Amino acid sequence: MDLTVLNNSFEKQGIIDEIKSLVWHRKYNAAGVFQLTVPASENNLRLIQKQNIIHKPAADEAGVIDTFNIKEDENGVETIEASGYFLTGLLFRRIIPQQSTFYDTYRNIMHSLVKSNAVNVSAKRVITGLRMPTLAADTAAKQRLQVTGKNLLTYLEALSAASDIGFKILYKRSYMEFYTYQGLDKSAGQSVNPRVVFSEEYDNLTATEYAYSEASKVTAAYVAGEGEGLDRTIVEVDDGSTGWDRFESYVDERSTREEGTTDAQYLELLESKGWEVQTPAAESFSGSTIDSGTTIYKKDWDLGDIVTVFSKRWNKKISVRITEIEEVDEESGSKIVIYVGATEPTIADILKEI
């Protein structure tokens, strides 16, 4: 496999044709990441540079190098290790500095936030080469949302998780384009689309792992708005859970109200803040996939599709979205690892929120 390397003006710099390993980690609700290890040849030393772009054949994503190191082992073998985010990660370099209030669909809000903080902005804030598509009419339910001071990518990830709408920045050869989408429901419980089922019993999944955690679960939120002491406006938002199934959180939104906002609009806005922090238990399956029958990668299923994964031995079965796909290419061979369902946040994810 050859990798094309471009500069940040999308001009071709050369080809990497010697690869020790490449981990290409695609994500539905976040920016994908990659890790690349290559020999420290003269060609590779020239190409592995900060902000250069790595493009994998036939992929609509591309990665931006933000970290690399050159090392020599005890046998005198020199290698370069490079890593970074997909193009979507460029949005992490922008914040939402001005208070933004919306009453629109999630998809339209996501596009508006990118346009107003990375495209239609002052020249110094423009993410060079990023374009926005023309959107078709969106008939989804409208949401009343307000945001100030959040990191653009982090907030998009929160909106994506809340709406189940995936997003990414597509590589378009000479430019890049922000894109939102939803995968198809191919689970065993529906009859509209061809069904896709993964299981060790079906010989299309190995090295399986099932995980369940309530560590980050939130089912009820108390959102505190304007006012002081006992006169402070507090809105309670919950999913009806009680007893041991109720997990509470507190949200401070003292400065949320805009001038001219009616009481009804203000309460609706506070309520939306409460729904934003609602977090279900994290339940997931992961494993290495094997192309078999109707489970051929990128033909029968892809990132964002809803599929069914089960283990008869463990008596576990879930039908949810494929939220992450890891394409691993090494000298010893290749494999594809899928992550189905919601995984527990990592330390890196938590630190990114601070």
Side-chain angles (χ1 to χ4, degrees), residues 105 107-112 132-138 178 180:
T105 64
R107 189 186 304 271
N108 287 345
I109 292 171
M110 293 168 75
H111 281 259
S112 179
M132 304 299 296
T134 300
L135 290 179
D138 191 353
F178 183 73
T180 51

Side-chain angles (χ1 to χ4, degrees), residues 3-179:
L3 299 176
T4 303
V5 181
L6 311 101
N7 62 19
N8 59 14
S9 296
F10 296 97
E11 299 166 332
K12 184 176 177 179
Q13 302 300 293
I15 297 290
I16 294 177
D17 57 8
E18 296 179 273
I19 299 171
K20 288 185 172 294
S21 71
L22 173 64
V23 178
W24 197 255
H25 197 140
R26 306 172 64 206
K27 299 185 180 185
Y28 184 70
N29 301 119
V33 295
F34 73 95
Q35 294 175 307
L36 172 66
T37 303
V38 296
S41 65
E42 182 177 346
N43 178 65
N44 293 340
L45 286 167
R46 179 180 63 85
L47 295 176
I48 302 297
Q49 299 293 333
K50 67 177 183 179
Q51 296 195 21
N52 270 359
I53 298 167
I54 301 291
H55 181 242
K56 186 178 180 180
D60 63 7
E61 306 114 334
V64 180
I65 298 171
D66 65 12
T67 302
F68 66 92
N69 67 294
I70 308 166
K71 62 182 181 180
E72 178 183 357
D73 67 15
E74 63 274 10
N75 298 315
V77 178
E78 297 177 336
T79 56
I80 309 172
E81 294 178 350
S83 61
Y85 283 101
F86 289 179
L87 293 172
T88 314
L90 292 170
L91 300 176
F92 189 68
R93 303 180 184 187
R94 297 293 181 269
I95 63 166
I96 306 168
Q98 300 295 327
Q99 187 175 82
S100 301
T101 303
F102 302 95
Y103 182 62
D104 209 335
T105 64
Y106 276 115
R107 189 186 304 271
N108 287 345
I109 292 171
M110 293 168 75
H111 281 259
S112 179
L113 283 169
V114 174
K115 184 182 293 185
S116 61
N117 290 284
V119 180
N120 292 348
V121 289
S122 61
K124 62 185 178 182
R125 297 196 70 217
V126 169
I127 294 181
T128 308
L130 179 59
R131 300 182 187 180
M132 304 299 296
T134 300
L135 290 179
D138 191 353
T139 59
K142 293 184 177 182
Q143 312 294 323
R144 193 175 299 279
L145 299 176
Q146 186 180 96
V147 56
T148 310
K150 295 285 189 180
N151 179 273
L152 177 57
L153 178 60
T154 301
Y155 194 66
L156 288 173
E157 290 172 355
L159 294 181
S160 177
S163 63
D164 210 18
I165 295 173
F167 70 100
K168 57 184 173 180
I169 290 180
L170 300 175
Y171 168 64
K172 294 285 189 174
R173 304 296 173 183
S174 60
Y175 65 96
M176 51 189 173
E177 185 175 85
F178 183 73
Y179 177 70

Side-chain angles (χ1 to χ4, degrees), residues 313-340:
R313 290 181 292 110
W314 299 344
N315 193 30
K316 297 296 180 184
K317 177 180 179 180
I318 58 175
S319 295
V320 287
R321 287 199 189 279
I322 301 174
T323 53
E324 301 180 31
I325 296 175
E326 195 172 69
E327 302 172 5
V328 181
D329 294 285
E330 299 175 319
E331 292 176 312
S332 58
S334 302
K335 66 178 180 179
I336 296 172
V337 181
I338 63 168
Y339 299 81
V340 179

